[in-house]
Amino acid sequence: VFLIAHFYNDIKKQKSLVKYGLIEEPNYSKKIYVIGNYATIEGLKNEIKKPEFGIVDAQIISNINNGLKSTNPVEQQEAQKKFDKLMRKIEKHIQFINFQALFNRCFPTLKINNLMQRTDTLISAFKRGTLEYKEEVFESMRDSIIIIDEFQRMYTTQYGINTYGFVIGAIMKFSNKYNIKFVFLSGTMMNTSPCELAYLNSILNEK
């Protein structure tokens, strides 16, 4: 969460400098995408609301929380409006997406029930240019930082690169074109076998 907060505050700082003409608009990252499994993403969304991470003001969030706990319905509604406004402001720069939702956005025509399956056929079709995808989704990530949490979920010893790893590799193909940067985070790089590092290397070399 501290890393997300660091990038968030850096983006806001550069945006302000550009707005007031103190610097010319540089080719800096303008948005953060946080990718992970559903449970992790929901946890991070809750964590960034804590003032100690420097994204929200302590007094503002305290007032909102007090209003939400109020027994007065009017105060509750006002507090909810303020909270929704605060989150919309944050989400202008930070977007949280789970792996499955990201895959569905990029490849909406693919009907895959088991997202942990092998992807050899998908990878071959993508490299041949015969796999349909939404390039506008990749383009929407222009000038962004993509933080991938628990990246070991992108591959397994049993299946190799799964659909999670496949969609990240697909985005990396467009990283130079759209100035997309990546940060890979994991406390467990390997699930069961050192051979999985070869799958990680394969994903990283898609750039």
Side-chain angles (χ1 to χ4, degrees), residues 103-111 122 125-136 138 166 170 174:
F103 182 88
N104 292 339
R105 285 188 193 184
C106 296
F107 303 96
T109 61
L110 293 179
K111 305 298 181 182
L122 292 177
F126 185 74
K127 289 181 176 180
R128 292 195 307 269
T130 58
L131 186 65
E132 184 177 348
Y133 57 86
K134 289 277 189 180
E135 185 168 346
E136 55 264 38
F138 303 131
F166 169 68
F174 293 89

Side-chain angles (χ1 to χ4, degrees), residues 1-204:
V1 180
F2 280 113
L3 183 64
I4 297 171
H6 169 76
F7 287 136
Y8 174 81
N9 290 318
D10 189 58
I11 287 171
K12 288 186 65 180
K13 179 181 178 181
Q14 292 194 65
K15 187 176 180 180
S16 296
L17 292 173
V18 171
K19 179 180 179 180
Y20 293 107
L22 298 176
I23 61 172
E24 294 183 2
E25 183 166 2
N27 193 26
Y28 67 91
S29 298
K30 300 176 179 65
K31 193 162 187 174
I32 304 162
Y33 289 87
V34 184
I35 314 298
N37 74 322
Y38 181 81
T40 301
I41 290 300
E42 291 303 306
L44 289 171
K45 286 168 71 174
N46 288 323
E47 286 293 307
I48 65 167
K49 302 170 189 174
K50 296 180 179 179
E52 56 262 38
F53 295 114
I55 294 178
V56 299
D57 181 85
Q59 188 60 54
I60 291 175
I61 200 67
S62 177
N63 292 338
I64 289 174
N65 287 335
N66 289 335
L68 292 172
K69 296 175 184 176
S70 173
T71 56
N72 186 323
V74 175
E75 291 181 357
Q76 287 182 354
Q77 290 177 3
E78 285 300 314
Q80 187 62 54
K81 288 179 181 178
K82 290 179 181 179
F83 178 76
D84 293 341
K85 182 179 180 180
L86 177 64
M87 292 308 298
R88 285 195 298 270
K89 182 179 179 181
I90 293 173
E91 288 169 359
K92 286 182 179 179
H93 299 298
I94 306 175
Q95 186 170 352
F96 294 89
I97 315 174
N98 64 67
F99 281 116
Q100 182 170 349
L102 180 64
F103 182 88
N104 292 339
R105 285 188 193 184
C106 296
F107 303 96
T109 61
L110 293 179
K111 305 298 181 182
I112 295 179
N113 295 322
N114 178 14
L115 291 174
M116 297 302 289
Q117 68 181 7
R118 295 189 66 87
T119 56
D120 300 359
T121 302
L122 292 177
I123 293 171
S124 297
F126 185 74
K127 289 181 176 180
R128 292 195 307 269
T130 58
L131 186 65
E132 184 177 348
Y133 57 86
K134 289 277 189 180
E135 185 168 346
E136 55 264 38
V137 176
F138 303 131
E139 186 175 4
S140 70
M141 297 177 178
R142 183 190 295 273
D143 298 327
S144 69
I145 298 171
I146 296 180
I147 300 174
I148 301 161
D149 192 42
E150 297 186 352
F151 67 73
Q152 77 277 5
R153 294 179 179 272
M154 300 189 302
Y155 47 81
T156 65
T157 300
Q158 182 180 4
Y159 298 112
I161 297 172
N162 56 34
T163 50
Y164 297 164
F166 169 68
V167 71
I168 296 302
I171 296 171
M172 293 194 78
K173 282 286 190 181
F174 293 89
S175 59
N176 288 330
K177 183 177 181 179
Y178 295 124
N179 187 35
I180 304 171
K181 300 177 178 65
F182 293 83
V183 178
F184 291 85
L185 303 177
S186 176
T188 313
M189 292 179 64
M190 296 176 289
N191 296 296
T192 57
S193 170
C195 71
E196 293 169 359
L197 296 180
Y199 303 137
L200 173 61
N201 183 62
S202 180
I203 296 169
L204 295 178

